[in-house]
């Protein structure tokens, strides 16, 4: 069965600093991987997704993530944090299973704090 | 624009009462999902549906039920609300493409339920 582990429930960076949010997955089949962002009192919205094309995936708001099969990782990065990036971030893997119809399995989430 | 709406956004109820949370999507998606979000657990799947008259149990389905009588709606019912069901509930939908679900979910804004 697939699973997702996000390392660090809280990450704090200064404005302009590198953002690195870590995600490791477990999957017996080639996975689809996702990063979602949740702003306060809102639903989740898709940042980016990996579906077995390019291993470096670019998303919205300057975020990108790199799929590394050897490390079973899909870490999210952004070169320069902005105050508006403060939110909760979820990594997810698609549970393709035998029915070939996926549903997402989410990590526990990482809260990103951006300090001025 | 297509969207997914949840109602009510906030509800307080008493232990033992039946509660129904509504979810309506205008994406014309076949797949619909209900998740609950709790601190330290991320999002956990309650029930899901791949089409009209189809419903399936997720990871945390005990005490919940759903029905799918049309494409647009997937109401979630708590048969007898318990304090452990105090949570934020998210409805989501996704499109099935060529038999494989890409897994990209579109989320509602959530329903915050408090069971006293």
């Amino acid at each position: 069965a697939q699973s997702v582990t996000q390392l660090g429930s809280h990450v704090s960076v200064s404005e302009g600093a590198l953002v690195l949010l870590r995600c490791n997955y477990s999957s017996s089949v080639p996975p689809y991987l996702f990063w979602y962002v949740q702003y306060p009192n809102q639903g989740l919205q898709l940042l980016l997704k990996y579906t077995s094309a390019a291993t470096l995936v670019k998303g919205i708001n300057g975020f990108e993530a790199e799929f590394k099969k050897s490390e079973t990782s899909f870490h999210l990065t952004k070169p320069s944090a902005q105050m508006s990036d403060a939110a909760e971030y979820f990594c997810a893997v698609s549970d393709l299973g035998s029915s070939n119809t996926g549903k997402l399995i989410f990590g526990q989430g990482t809260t990103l704090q951006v300090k001025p | 624009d297509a969207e997914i709406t949840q109602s009510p956004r906030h509800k307080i109820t008493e232990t033992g009462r039946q509660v129904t949370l509504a979810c309506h999507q205008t994406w014309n998606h076949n797949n619909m999902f209900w998740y609950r979000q709790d601190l330290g657990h991320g999002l956990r799947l309650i029930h899901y549906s791949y089409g009209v008259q189809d419903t399936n149990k997720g990871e945390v389905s005990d005490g919940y039920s759903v029905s799918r009588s049309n494409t647009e709606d997937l109401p979630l019912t708590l048969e007898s609300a318990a304090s452990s069901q105090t949570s934020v509930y998210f409805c989501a939908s996704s499109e099935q493409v060529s038999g494989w679900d890409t897994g990209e979910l579109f989320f509602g804004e959530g329903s915050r339920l408090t069971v006293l």
Side-chain angles (χ1 to χ4, degrees), chain B residues 5-13 17-24 32-37 46 63-67 72-79 81 85-91 110-115:
Chain B
T5 56
Q6 295 183 228
S7 62
R9 295 290 313 278
H10 301 271
K11 185 170 182 66
I12 300 174
T13 191
R17 290 189 178 268
Q18 183 181 82
V19 176
T20 296
L21 306 179
C23 175
H24 179 81
M32 295 185 72
F33 306 83
W34 274 104
Y35 288 86
R36 61 178 288 175
Q37 183 180 21
I46 305 171
Y64 304 94
S65 64
V66 294
S67 61
E72 295 79 18
D73 299 289
L74 187 71
L76 177 71
T77 298
L78 287 68
E79 303 293 345
Q85 294 177 308
T86 293
S87 186
V88 181
Y89 292 87
F90 286 98
C91 182
S111 295
R112 182 177 296 275
L113 176 67
T114 302
V115 183

Side-chain angles (χ1 to χ4, degrees), chain A residues 4 7 10 19 23 32 36 53 74 76-77 82 86:
Chain A
V4 172
L7 301 178
H10 287 85
V19 176
C23 173
Y32 289 174
Y36 281 83
F74 190 58
L76 182 70
T77 60
Q82 298 176 299

Side-chain angles (χ1 to χ4, degrees), chain A residues 4 7-8 28 32 44 47 54 58 62 66 69-70 80 85 92 99:
Chain A
V4 172
L7 301 178
S28 58
Y32 289 174
L44 283 70
L47 267 180
K58 293 186 183 298
E66 186 173 8
K69 184 178 179 180
S70 61
S80 177
D85 294 328
S99 64

Side-chain angles (χ1 to χ4, degrees), chain B residues 87-116:
Chain B
S87 186
V88 181
Y89 292 87
F90 286 98
C91 182
S93 69
S94 71
E95 181 181 6
Q96 188 166 353
V97 180
S98 301
W100 286 83
D101 192 324
T102 65
E104 178 178 350
L105 296 178
F106 295 82
F107 283 84
E109 294 194 330
S111 295
R112 182 177 296 275
L113 176 67
T114 302
V115 183
L116 300 176

